[in-house]
Amino acid sequence: MKQIRDRVAGLDIHRDTVVACARIGSPAGIEVIKESFPTTRAGLAKLASFLSEAGVTTVAMEATGVYWKPVYYALEGLVSELWLCNAQHVKNVPGRKTDLSDAEWLADVASHGMVRPSMVPPPEIRQLRDLTRYRKSQVDTRSKEIQRLEKVLQDADIKITSVASAVWSASSREIIEALIAGTRDPLVLAQMAKSRMRSKISQLEEALAGTFDDHHALLCRQIIAHIDFCDQTIGELTQEICEGLEDFRAHQ
């Protein structure tokens, strides 16, 4: 196939090292230069110098887990074309020779235009994406803790969800915290109902006559503390995300 890029480098990225293969084309032929670098900040600075001295204009790397990120960020803006390639696409390119290293093969297929780069968003978008992904994980964790709370209550034969629409509400929390504190009388617990739940006090009295004991109290205390932690984390992340979005609106 016709070579369409003369100064290309392929990077084989691992957790602690990155192997760079520069493929430099000239009228005299193809020169291949390979060198290995640590993935520390100092090592990536040496990698950047190596690519610059070789006159590389296109750098291709595979998206391998999270290990590509420090390497990509260190080279961002330093070369004309910085490509993050889908590992599956690279694997499916036909014609690989067994004696070629991963870095050399990547440089070869990139120089012939046989792979294409994936879209990598700019730093501001990447930061917001990290925040939103972590926020989602905290929302999921919170939901699992609420489900766990329901299981503990069912184990104690406390049937709040048979009366209330959800196990976690202002009324439910006050009742559960009273159970944790040692109140077991269903008549007293039912009087803690608020708003629309007060119309179901008689049903609550029956639902709260369970076998809640000290080990249930310990579990519920820990679960509620975790829910509160998730609420705080989600709130702080939401504020940070909103502020980041305001920056984008300001530049529209």
Side-chain angles (χ1 to χ4, degrees), residues 199-221:
S199 63
K200 303 177 181 179
I201 286 180
S202 60
Q203 295 170 263
L204 273 174
E205 290 173 354
E206 184 176 352
L208 295 173
T211 57
F212 195 93
D213 60 24
D214 290 345
H215 100 278
H216 295 121
L218 176 60
L219 290 170
C220 287
R221 186 183 302 114

Side-chain angles (χ1 to χ4, degrees), residues 154-171:
Q154 290 293 337
D155 185 76
D157 203 21
I158 300 295
K159 303 289 187 176
I160 290 180
T161 50
S162 297
V163 180
S165 58
V167 69
W168 196 240
S169 64
S171 295

Side-chain angles (χ1 to χ4, degrees), residues 29-50:
I30 302 296
E31 180 184 8
V32 176
I33 312 168
K34 285 195 285 186
E35 195 168 334
S36 180
F37 304 89
T39 53
T40 59
R41 190 174 183 85
L44 294 178
K46 292 178 181 178
L47 169 63
S49 297
F50 166 80

Side-chain angles (χ1 to χ4, degrees), residues 9-248:
L11 304 181
D12 181 20
I13 302 171
H14 303 276
R15 185 191 66 183
D16 300 321
T17 60
V18 51
V19 178
C21 176
R23 192 176 189 277
I24 310 302
S26 67
I30 302 296
E31 180 184 8
V32 176
I33 312 168
K34 285 195 285 186
E35 195 168 334
S36 180
F37 304 89
T39 53
T40 59
R41 190 174 183 85
L44 294 178
K46 292 178 181 178
L47 169 63
S49 297
F50 166 80
L51 297 172
S52 177
E53 290 169 6
V56 169
T57 57
T58 302
V59 175
M61 66 185 75
E62 289 182 357
T64 50
V66 298
Y67 300 138
W68 64 270
K69 292 185 176 183
V71 180
Y72 188 97
Y73 300 161
L75 299 178
E76 200 169 21
L78 300 182
V79 292
S80 299
E81 294 181 311
L82 184 58
W83 289 6
L84 179 68
C85 303
N86 184 296
Q88 193 63 39
H89 293 168
V90 175
K91 182 180 179 181
N92 290 336
V93 175
R96 176 167 182 172
K97 297 179 182 178
T98 56
D99 61 337
L100 290 183
S101 68
D102 289 343
E104 191 173 351
W105 172 246
L106 196 52
D108 191 6
V109 295
S111 67
H112 289 88
M114 298 169 70
V115 291
R116 62 182 185 274
S118 301
M119 193 281 288
V120 179
E124 297 82 3
I125 298 296
R126 295 199 299 259
Q127 292 167 11
L128 276 175
R129 186 168 61 179
D130 286 344
L131 292 173
T132 54
R133 284 178 173 174
Y134 186 58
R135 183 185 181 281
K136 182 182 183 302
S137 74
Q138 293 302 295
V139 170
D140 292 342
T141 298
R142 182 183 185 275
S143 297
K144 289 177 182 177
E145 286 298 292
I146 292 174
Q147 291 170 3
R148 191 171 286 113
L149 181 63
E150 162 69 356
K151 290 178 180 179
V152 174
L153 294 176
Q154 290 293 337
D155 185 76
D157 203 21
I158 300 295
K159 303 289 187 176
I160 290 180
T161 50
S162 297
V163 180
S165 58
V167 69
W168 196 240
S169 64
S171 295
S172 299
R173 175 165 187 157
E174 186 169 339
I175 291 169
I176 295 168
E177 288 183 340
L179 283 164
I180 293 170
T183 302
R184 301 288 192 266
D185 187 341
L187 302 180
V188 175
L189 293 169
Q191 289 301 321
M192 297 176 185
K194 303 179 186 301
S195 187
R196 287 179 296 177
M197 276 187 67
R198 293 203 61 81
S199 63
K200 303 177 181 179
I201 286 180
S202 60
Q203 295 170 263
L204 273 174
E205 290 173 354
E206 184 176 352
L208 295 173
T211 57
F212 195 93
D213 60 24
D214 290 345
H215 100 278
H216 295 121
L218 176 60
L219 290 170
C220 287
R221 186 183 302 114
Q222 298 302 320
I223 291 170
I224 289 174
H226 198 180
I227 292 172
D228 287 342
F229 172 79
C230 289
D231 284 338
Q232 180 181 349
T233 303
I234 292 166
E236 292 174 0
L237 289 168
T238 300
Q239 181 178 351
E240 191 70 23
I241 291 166
C242 289
E243 290 175 359
L245 291 174
E246 284 298 326
D247 292 338
F248 281 99

